[in-house]
Amino acid sequence: MTTSRAIISIAAAAACLLGFSGCSKNLSGLEIRFRAKTSPAAPSTKTAYSGETFEGTGGKTYERIDWTSGDIITLAMKNSEVTMASQNYSVNTISTSGVNSRTDMMPSGAEHGLTWGEGSHDFWAGYPASKISVGDHSISATIPASQVATYSRKSGNVVLFTPDMSDAFMVASLQCAPANNGINLDFYPAFTTFDFTVGANDNITVTSFEMETATYETEASTTMPLAGDVTATFDSGSGMSCSYATSGTTANTISLAFHNDGGEAYNPIISTSTSMNFKVFALPQDLTGIKITFNLSDGTKRTLKLKQDGNWITFPATAKINISGLVVPGAVWYITFDYPREEQWIVHPDIEIGVE
């Protein structure tokens, strides 16, 4: 029997201040200068997790997400003179400092950008521009039920996969008066990230991965959607607070395929000496009743219910949840890792799932 210590840590998005400077009353008709900053979360298109983590308030840790030149953002605005206007902007000069990745933005596909009017302006923005739709004080996107992780490299004894960051939906909002020096937009993740690092107690070949919520056996687990259409809606108050709602067809299962860097199927081999790391994106809501399944090349599967002390773990919305130390058995067929049922444990009963 192999001892496995599973550790789940949660990196939530940091609180941020959306600010502006140099207010003026005589800027009507002048082009607005925008600056964007990623708050600890996850972006899209060519943006990427930096791999650098930082300590935050309350003992939480944050991983920086870096902009990449050429990333496209959609910005929308509304004021007393404009019902609503929107335009695409591209990431320009990039700088990093601690947990933040900052950029200036330039109009994309047009000579000029949005311009100032009189009085208070509401701004809201979404990323990536290619996969969002913009409405009046709202931005919509889809967290897909079928996702892909692409082989990146092997670092030490860990095979690393990168997610399709175009599935990572980010939003920003701000209310302000015209400002000489432009305005600063802080982007937050509008999704929840599960970051897995998994090994095995024998050589096994993984063909795919699934995450689902459902009612299992006689347990009263809540069936919750993991993927589907989601809309971020912003109020028009000074804080421009944001709420999320699902719409249309949703799915309570997310499947993850593994590819090589050429886009072909790739089946990683993990063992006592080699682990794999990959990420899954889910809807931006508190999630519980989750079980995960590893499908293997021999046609068998290994399933784990994410519980603590006999109860389903509830994972907070828009957090980045790091799950490490899991050991997938290779010589046992159709066995469920099930916390806390001792008769079904196939790892040492000292296993701990701790939520930080």
Side-chain angles (χ1 to χ4, degrees):
M1 202 171 277
T2 303
T3 299
S4 172
R5 180 177 177 84
I7 301 173
I8 299 180
S9 64
I10 296 175
C16 72
L17 295 176
L18 299 178
F20 62 95
S21 60
C23 288
S24 170
K25 296 182 179 180
N26 303 306
L27 299 178
S28 293
L30 294 182
E31 192 168 331
I32 305 170
R33 294 173 54 194
F34 293 98
R35 292 181 293 272
K37 179 179 70 179
T38 57
S39 292
S44 220
T45 52
K46 292 176 289 184
T47 47
Y49 283 102
S50 65
E52 296 187 40
T53 57
F54 302 86
E55 292 298 320
T57 58
K60 297 177 181 178
T61 58
Y62 304 93
E63 182 174 357
R64 191 182 69 235
I65 297 166
D66 289 338
W67 295 112
T68 298
S69 180
D71 285 333
I72 306 295
I73 296 162
T74 299
L75 283 160
M77 64 169 282
K78 187 173 183 177
N79 70 354
S80 59
E81 299 174 332
V82 178
T83 302
M84 188 187 92
S86 64
Q87 187 166 334
N88 286 351
Y89 283 74
S90 62
V91 167
N92 188 23
T93 305
I94 301 164
S95 64
T96 58
S97 176
V99 76
N100 297 313
S101 178
R102 295 183 174 89
T103 180
D104 292 324
M105 293 187 292
M106 302 291 291
S108 176
E111 184 178 355
H112 299 290
L114 300 173
T115 58
W116 288 114
E118 291 287 346
S120 180
H121 292 54
D122 285 358
F123 295 96
W124 59 102
Y127 183 72
S130 61
K131 289 193 174 183
I132 64 172
S133 58
V134 179
D136 187 351
H137 285 81
S138 70
I139 298 176
S140 300
T142 299
I143 305 297
S146 297
Q147 299 179 19
V148 172
T150 301
Y151 173 78
S152 172
R153 60 191 173 89
K154 186 175 182 181
S155 177
N157 64 344
V158 182
V159 178
L160 301 174
F161 289 85
T162 57
D164 181 354
M165 296 302 281
S166 69
D167 294 334
F169 172 35
M170 293 202 304
V171 296
S173 61
L174 172 67
Q175 184 180 86
C176 72
N180 282 319
N181 296 325
I183 63 173
N184 304 310
L185 292 167
D186 281 15
F187 281 79
Y188 286 100
F191 59 94
T192 303
T193 305
F194 290 83
D195 189 331
F196 294 94
T197 301
V198 181
N201 64 9
D202 198 357
N203 285 355
I204 64 171
T205 302
V206 178
T207 58
S208 63
F209 172 86
E210 294 176 359
M211 174 184 290
E212 66 177 300
T213 61
T215 300
Y216 313 118
E217 301 158 5
T218 59
E219 300 174 56
S221 170
T222 302
T223 300
M224 302 183 70
L226 291 173
D229 299 334
V230 59
T231 298
T233 302
F234 310 92
D235 69 21
S236 58
S238 59
M240 291 283 288
S241 62
C242 174
S243 61
Y244 301 108
T246 57
S247 61
T249 302
T250 57
N252 71 327
T253 300
I254 292 176
S255 61
L256 181 71
F258 299 100
H259 288 181
N260 61 22
D261 56 9
E264 301 169 327
Y266 177 83
N267 299 328
I269 299 173
I270 56 177
S271 64
T272 56
S273 60
T274 300
S275 300
M276 62 187 295
N277 173 265
F278 59 92
K279 296 175 177 65
V280 178
F281 299 141
L283 288 168
Q285 59 187 6
D286 291 352
L287 296 169
T288 191
I290 294 177
K291 73 174 181 179
I292 58 176
T293 297
F294 294 87
N295 297 306
L296 308 185
S297 60
D298 62 4
T300 65
K301 56 183 61 181
R302 308 289 186 265
T303 299
L304 167 65
K305 299 177 181 180
L306 300 185
K307 287 185 169 184
Q308 183 179 38
D309 299 328
N311 300 310
W312 294 105
I313 298 172
T314 297
F315 299 101
T318 70
K320 180 175 179 289
I321 300 152
N322 302 315
I323 302 178
S324 62
L326 294 181
V327 174
V328 180
V332 182
W333 290 44
Y334 301 113
I335 297 295
T336 298
F337 303 25
D338 190 1
Y339 309 97
R341 297 183 186 176
E342 292 189 17
E343 71 273 12
Q344 293 188 358
W345 276 348
I346 52 174
V347 288
H348 194 279
D350 287 339
I351 267 192
E352 295 179 8
I353 294 185
V355 178
E356 298 177 356

